[in-house]
Amino acid sequence: MKRILIVLTLLCFSIGSAYSQGKKVRRIDLPEGDLKWSYERPKDAKFCVPAAFTDTIGGESKIIGQYRYKGEIRQKRIKKMVIVSLKGNMFYISDKWLSDNGFQQWPLVYDSKTIKFNKDPNKEFRRALCKDKNGEVFLLQSNIPMTLSDFAVECSKCSTNATYLDMGKYGYGYIKKNNIERPLFVWGIGTQHKQTNWLYIE
């Protein structure tokens, strides 16, 4: 319990500090290793966040959109979403599968073009998987609630390609340092057991 309180305090302090300095988003560098996706929660990972959307249908949590796991494609595609293919430590946004592992999500930046979302006026905390012109992959996470369009603009300032990652009530994620899971978004801790899929690095 004491450890959780310390983490909460540090996170709230860092978010408050970033906000007071006018920073709407923060970059989170990832540990070395290959990006992997699974509908089975990894037992031990250096980094782990929700990826594809999760929804509750008939009392059961379900992955939204098409996904591919170990070469097997499952579920129907959602037309307006792109395919996020994972290969090594890189990801690729496309309209077709480019690897044996990946999921569907909203594109935020595609080939340096910012995507607009006119039908999403809601302000929420946001998270994205991004890569810059040098090929470096990282996370971008908002410090304040913002619309999806505004978040896409923030992503375009530092990335050439970016895809959204599930947040909302499933926003829990962590990077492990010194064998301690350091949460990236504290408010999702209570519902992490409902998440259906994970983007992670072993």
Side-chain angles (χ1 to χ4, degrees):
M1 185 67 180
K2 184 177 180 181
R3 180 180 293 173
I4 292 175
L5 289 174
I6 291 172
V7 170
L8 284 170
T9 302
L10 288 173
L11 185 65
C12 290
F13 176 80
S14 64
I15 290 176
S17 176
Y19 181 66
S20 66
Q21 295 174 23
K23 294 182 179 179
K24 296 180 181 179
V25 296
R26 63 186 175 114
R27 173 174 169 149
I28 301 169
D29 292 321
L30 301 180
E32 293 184 3
D34 292 345
L35 289 169
K36 298 184 178 182
W37 179 92
S38 178
Y39 51 80
E40 296 178 355
R41 187 179 181 91
K43 294 181 180 179
D44 188 27
K46 295 184 289 187
F47 155 75
C48 182
V49 292
F53 286 124
T54 291
D55 198 4
T56 302
I57 301 174
E60 184 178 346
S61 294
K62 183 180 178 181
I63 298 170
I64 302 301
Q66 191 176 85
Y67 60 91
R68 192 173 192 181
Y69 183 67
K70 295 183 178 179
E72 183 180 348
I73 297 175
R74 301 182 183 181
Q75 298 191 167
K76 293 182 179 180
R77 287 182 59 174
I78 295 178
K79 291 182 179 179
K80 294 183 179 180
M81 288 186 177
V82 292
I83 289 171
V84 183
S85 298
L86 306 175
K87 192 172 184 179
N89 62 354
M90 188 57 61
F91 74 95
Y92 302 92
I93 297 174
S94 178
D95 61 351
K96 61 182 180 180
W97 290 104
L98 301 175
S99 73
D100 289 339
N101 194 250
F103 55 96
Q104 270 201 284
Q105 252 300 357
W106 294 115
L108 299 176
V109 183
Y110 182 68
D111 286 346
S112 299
K113 180 181 178 181
T114 307
I115 308 300
K116 293 182 180 180
F117 297 87
N118 297 325
K119 295 183 179 180
D120 186 13
N122 296 326
K123 291 186 176 182
E124 308 284 353
F125 285 99
R126 309 285 183 178
R127 180 186 293 150
L129 180 65
C130 307
K131 61 181 173 184
D132 61 23
K133 61 183 179 180
N134 298 318
E136 288 197 29
V137 177
F138 58 95
L139 292 186
L140 203 68
Q141 187 167 291
S142 68
N143 291 323
I144 58 173
M146 58 178 62
T147 66
L148 201 54
S149 288
D150 288 343
F151 185 55
V153 169
E154 293 299 320
C155 290
S156 69
K157 294 177 182 178
C158 58
S159 61
T160 57
N161 288 273
T163 181
Y164 194 66
L165 296 175
D166 193 12
M167 282 290 281
K169 59 184 178 181
Y170 304 111
Y172 177 77
Y174 68 83
I175 288 182
K176 187 176 288 186
K177 293 183 179 179
N178 299 324
N179 274 338
I180 297 176
E181 291 184 9
R182 299 172 186 259
L184 301 177
F185 194 77
V186 173
W187 292 269
I189 290 177
T191 55
Q192 58 180 296
H193 63 285
K194 295 183 179 181
Q195 181 57 30
T196 59
N197 67 99
W198 298 267
L199 175 70
Y200 65 99
I201 296 173
E202 288 183 327

